[in-house]
Structure formats: C-alpha cells, structure tokens
Amino acid sequence: MGYTLIKHPLIDHKMTILRKKETSSMEFRQVANEIATLMGYEVTRDLETEEIEIETPICKTTGRVISGKKVGIVPILRAGLGMVEGLLTIIPAARVGHIGMYRDPETHKPVTYYSKLPKDVSSRLMLVVDPMLATGGSLIEAIDELKRNGAKNIKSINLLAAPEGVKAVQEAHPDVEIYLAALDERLNDDKYIVPGLGDAGDRLFGTK
Ligand code: URA
C-alpha cells in the first residue's frame, strides 16, 4: 500500500486556514473537524454494501446499505481528538477507541500511557487519526498496538505529513494505507513539519 493525497479545493482552502498562525483555536477546531469529514468520505469509499428490499411511500424497491466490516476510530491523544467529531459526522455508528501517546521532548520517541480499544477490532476497519504525521514514531507505535489487539484492516488519516514520516510508516506497516490532506517539505531539527501548522495539540486546545 502507499499513501493517498486527497486533492479537493475545499480541503486545500481549509488547510490554508489551519496553517495561518493567526487562526484562533475555536476556528482551528472547527476547520480540522470539517477536513476530517471530507477525508472520511474518501477513506470510506471502499466500504462494502449490500442490496436490501425496502418500500418507499410509492412502491417496493431495493436500496444499498453498508455491510460487512464496521468502523472503529482511534485518535492518538491528544491532537487526534480534533478529528473525531468530524469523522463521526459521516460514520455516526463507529466505535471510538483511544491511544494516549506523547513525544518525549529529548529523545523524540513516543511514550504510550493509555490504550482503550473496542473489543472487536479484528472485525472492524480501524481508522487511526492524528493530524500530524511527522517522524512516524507515534503512528507506528499506535498501529503496533492495534495489531497486538488483533486489528487486520487499518487505515491512517492525517491532515499533514512530512515525507520522512510517510516513508517510516510505509516501511514498518506496508499493509496500512495513509490518507493525507497535504504533504509538506520536511521536518526541522525539532521534528516539526515545515512549513506545517505548528503544534496541532496546542493549536486545537489553546495551550502552549
Ligand atoms: N506534531 C505537531 O503537532 N506538529 C508538528 O509539526 C509535528 C508533530
């Protein structure tokens, strides 16, 4: 598998709002969720459907409904929380697990401090969400954690990525498709994405 850069004028426009340093936390939260909704449309494109018989007020007919695998959404805490509502807008029946990770400021390595997942991850399409795919360290760990719990069908949804992070995740988990709203130039020495949008968690929640 590889990565899919979702190209759409609305996504480009909304990503520019997120990047601007003067965008408030309130607007950042709203727009991050809107982009997640738009991405969710593309990410769920290959969900299986089946035909069922229904009756309209006029006559009997058939319609298609989602069948087979159901969906699980797993935000990587805390910034991943900023995309959950947007995904639930179009996949309201999804179960939501949480994986808590932070980046050690000195080693830049991910540290897991919380993991709570739905029981039936093995029969769900699991969507890992984190706005920023930087080094790929936390995403690789989160996918490891999902696989340890039996997940077999995993996709990653990230607003923004650095090429280094995409490569690292592809090497560690070649079976996981990565969906991006934008692919940036590189990481800087502090492992921030350039040009990026800063610290997604701080911008979402108004912290420093
Ligand atoms: N995490 C962020 O929030 N921003 C970056 O640029 C990289 C990682």
Side-chain angles (χ1 to χ4, degrees):
M1 300 238 183
Y3 70 88
T4 302
L5 186 59
I6 304 176
K7 289 304 292 175
H8 192 288
L10 286 174
I11 291 183
D12 289 346
H13 181 89
K14 289 173 192 295
M15 283 301 296
T16 302
I17 296 173
L18 292 191
R19 288 181 191 277
K20 287 163 74 173
K21 65 177 184 188
E22 62 270 28
T23 299
S24 69
S25 284
M26 190 180 68
E27 192 178 9
F28 194 99
R29 272 197 297 274
Q30 182 181 331
V31 171
N33 274 308
E34 287 171 0
I35 299 172
T37 304
L38 294 168
M39 294 181 80
Y41 181 79
E42 195 58 39
V43 170
T44 52
R45 184 174 285 286
D46 56 5
L47 281 182
E48 281 170 35
T49 59
E50 64 184 340
E51 193 169 84
I52 59 163
E53 291 184 0
I54 56 165
E55 210 171 332
T56 74
I58 310 298
C59 67
K60 289 190 173 173
T61 184
T62 58
R64 300 204 70 83
V65 292
I66 305 285
S67 67
K69 287 196 174 22
K70 302 290 185 246
V71 177
I73 300 169
V74 183
I76 300 178
L77 301 178
R78 72 189 156 134
L81 291 174
M83 298 169 69
V84 174
E85 286 304 319
L87 287 167
L88 285 172
T89 302
I90 49 163
I91 326 166
R95 297 284 166 89
V96 182
H98 294 86
I99 294 179
M101 283 185 186
Y102 66 88
R103 199 163 48 136
D104 185 298
E106 274 162 24
T107 65
H108 301 301
K109 292 254 158 61
V111 182
T112 303
Y113 63 89
Y114 187 75
S115 172
K116 186 82 179 172
L117 302 171
K119 275 206 191 78
D120 52 353
V121 289
S122 62
S123 58
R124 287 179 183 268
L125 164 62
M126 298 303 292
L127 305 177
V128 199
V129 262
D130 192 352
M132 311 299 276
L133 169 45
T135 62
S138 359
L139 183 53
I140 290 170
E141 285 297 317
I143 296 170
D144 281 343
E145 171 69 7
L146 282 171
K147 287 184 175 174
R148 279 194 291 273
N149 281 271
K152 295 185 186 73
N153 190 6
I154 303 170
K155 294 184 178 189
S156 175
I157 312 181
N158 311 98
L159 298 183
L160 202 53
E164 300 92 317
V166 174
K167 186 165 174 282
V169 176
Q170 282 177 329
E171 280 172 10
H173 294 292
D175 56 313
V176 174
E177 179 77 21
I178 301 166
Y179 290 82
L180 303 173
L183 181 61
D184 274 12
E185 287 164 24
R186 61 184 171 87
L187 294 174
N188 68 14
D189 292 343
D190 296 322
K191 308 296 180 195
Y192 277 88
I193 298 174
V194 180
L197 50 74
D199 185 302
D202 283 345
R203 299 210 54 198
L204 279 164
F205 300 113
T207 49
K208 254 277 176 234

